[in-house]
Amino acid sequence: IDITRWVQLIAGVRYDRFDLTATDQNTFTQRSRVDNKLSPQAAVIVKPIDSLSIYGAYSISYLPASGDQFSSLTAATQNFEPQKFENTEVGVKWNILPRLQYTAALYHLNRTNVPVTNPDGSSNPIPSGRQEINGFETALNGTITNDWQATLGYAYTDARVTSQSTPTIVVGNRVQLVPYNQVSLWNKYQINPMWAAAVGVIYFGDSYASSDDTVRLPGFVRVDAAVYLKINEQWRAQLNVENIFNKGYWASADGNNNISPGASRTFRVSAAAKF
């Protein structure tokens, strides 16, 4: 709704019905669950000039216990209520140049009915209850010159447990696998009409393998690169190199005793055609 030339209101509501049935092929056990939820959202956008938007937004959304892929229901998750996400956010979007945009946002997110990985590594998640996440995100994305494209992003996230789930997952603990700081930088340069090259850096701060905050995963820096080839108007090819310096790091974890290392130096070659 356009209130004036420089003020807009956005409002909406969505009705979700999650009707899930899954069969365990090992035990031939069939499980089902039905949930009905309303997801409202609202926002105010102020545009003091055409290239600048300042906004405030509020929304509620849900995720069923089977996860975003609706892949399975177990004896444990069958009894879990859908996760609830209640988000409040203020931010700015500024088109510095026609092809260069800056964004920044502060947000406060409350999550409830959150299943948390059991610290002992078992496959049965724990209904954690509540988490509170406060964060700041900012990014600069676009074309610096006719040949140089760049993306620079930074995120600060303070994610905390706000209800006790087990004797070790207590109020105030950091949420598993959520670092305080993340930085990403990607630069792509068009050498000539046929060739282009890119290099990027990712920084991921330290985090914990589970929300009991006993096993710490150290932060890491990873450097990636790519080479692009435009063969003709129809065919394109691309080489991606991930983890150029073959740095060892811990990429993820599913509990304190199930920690996954990051991939070593990896090469990927692809080709694409337009018809």
Side-chain angles (χ1 to χ4, degrees), residues 39 45 70 73-75 80 94 98 110 169 183 191 201 239 260 264:
S39 303
I45 303 172
F70 308 103
L73 282 175
T74 66
F80 289 178
W94 178 26
N110 282 313
I169 301 178
V183 180
I191 301 170
V201 179
L239 168 66
S260 302
S264 57

Side-chain angles (χ1 to χ4, degrees), residues 154-167:
Y154 169 74
Y156 173 82
T157 310
D158 186 5
R160 301 283 179 172
V161 174
T162 53
S163 66
Q164 184 164 346
S165 302
T166 71

Side-chain angles (χ1 to χ4, degrees), residues 16-20 33-37 62-64 70 82:
D16 290 324
R17 177 179 172 84
F18 302 111
D19 187 347
L20 309 172
R33 182 180 178 89
V34 177
D35 293 287
N36 299 283
K37 298 293 181 181
Y62 296 89
L63 178 66
F70 308 103

Side-chain angles (χ1 to χ4, degrees), residues 7-268:
V7 176
Q8 296 176 327
L9 299 181
I10 297 174
V13 63
R14 186 181 70 224
Y15 170 73
D16 290 324
R17 177 179 172 84
F18 302 111
D19 187 347
L20 309 172
T21 300
T23 301
D24 187 329
Q25 297 293 340
N26 294 314
T27 63
F28 300 102
T29 301
Q30 188 177 81
R31 302 181 180 94
S32 61
R33 182 180 178 89
V34 177
D35 293 287
N36 299 283
K37 298 293 181 181
L38 287 177
S39 303
Q41 61 177 342
V44 179
I45 303 172
V46 178
K47 294 177 67 70
I49 57 177
D50 289 340
S51 61
L52 178 65
S53 297
I54 303 167
Y55 68 90
Y58 174 83
S59 65
I60 294 177
S61 60
Y62 296 89
L63 178 66
S66 61
D68 57 1
Q69 300 300 312
F70 308 103
S71 57
S72 67
L73 282 175
T74 66
T77 60
Q78 181 183 18
N79 299 313
F80 289 178
E81 287 285 325
Q83 292 186 56
K84 180 181 179 181
F85 302 81
E86 184 177 8
N87 188 62
T88 304
E89 181 176 323
V90 293
V92 60
K93 296 181 179 180
W94 178 26
N95 292 321
I96 303 172
L97 297 171
R99 294 188 294 170
L100 181 64
Q101 184 182 71
Y102 173 75
T103 60
L106 285 167
Y107 65 89
H108 174 81
L109 173 64
N110 282 313
R111 297 178 62 185
T112 53
N113 306 322
V114 184
V116 172
T117 301
N118 199 314
D120 65 10
S122 68
S123 59
N124 293 323
I126 301 168
S128 171
R130 298 188 302 274
Q131 298 175 356
E132 181 180 288
I133 300 97
N134 294 291
F136 169 73
E137 296 179 348
T138 187
L140 183 66
N141 182 23
T143 302
I144 310 299
T145 69
N146 289 334
D147 298 320
W148 178 21
Q149 299 176 15
T151 300
L152 173 63
Y154 169 74
Y156 173 82
T157 310
D158 186 5
R160 301 283 179 172
V161 174
T162 53
S163 66
Q164 184 164 346
S165 302
T166 71
T168 56
I169 301 178
V170 298
V171 174
N173 279 13
R174 288 173 59 186
V175 175
Q176 70 175 130
L177 301 179
V178 181
Y180 283 130
N181 297 288
Q182 297 179 69
V183 180
S184 63
L185 172 65
W186 185 254
N187 286 279
K188 180 181 179 182
Y189 188 78
Q190 193 71 40
I191 301 170
N192 57 41
M194 180 177 291
W195 292 95
V199 64
V201 179
I202 296 173
Y203 168 73
F204 199 88
D206 67 86
S207 61
Y208 286 98
S210 77
S211 295
D212 65 356
D213 290 6
T214 57
V215 176
R216 187 178 70 87
L217 306 180
F220 63 87
V221 176
R222 195 186 76 201
V223 181
D224 303 331
V227 177
Y228 307 87
L229 172 63
K230 180 180 179 180
I231 301 170
N232 53 40
E233 292 302 320
Q234 183 178 2
W235 284 93
R236 298 173 183 269
Q238 182 173 329
L239 168 66
N240 287 82
V241 184
E242 184 178 296
N243 197 3
I244 289 177
F245 299 111
N246 205 30
K247 182 179 178 62
Y249 64 95
W250 299 108
S252 185
D254 191 19
N256 290 334
N257 55 9
N258 189 2
I259 302 173
S260 302
S264 57
R265 185 185 297 115
T266 304
F267 297 86
R268 294 185 178 90

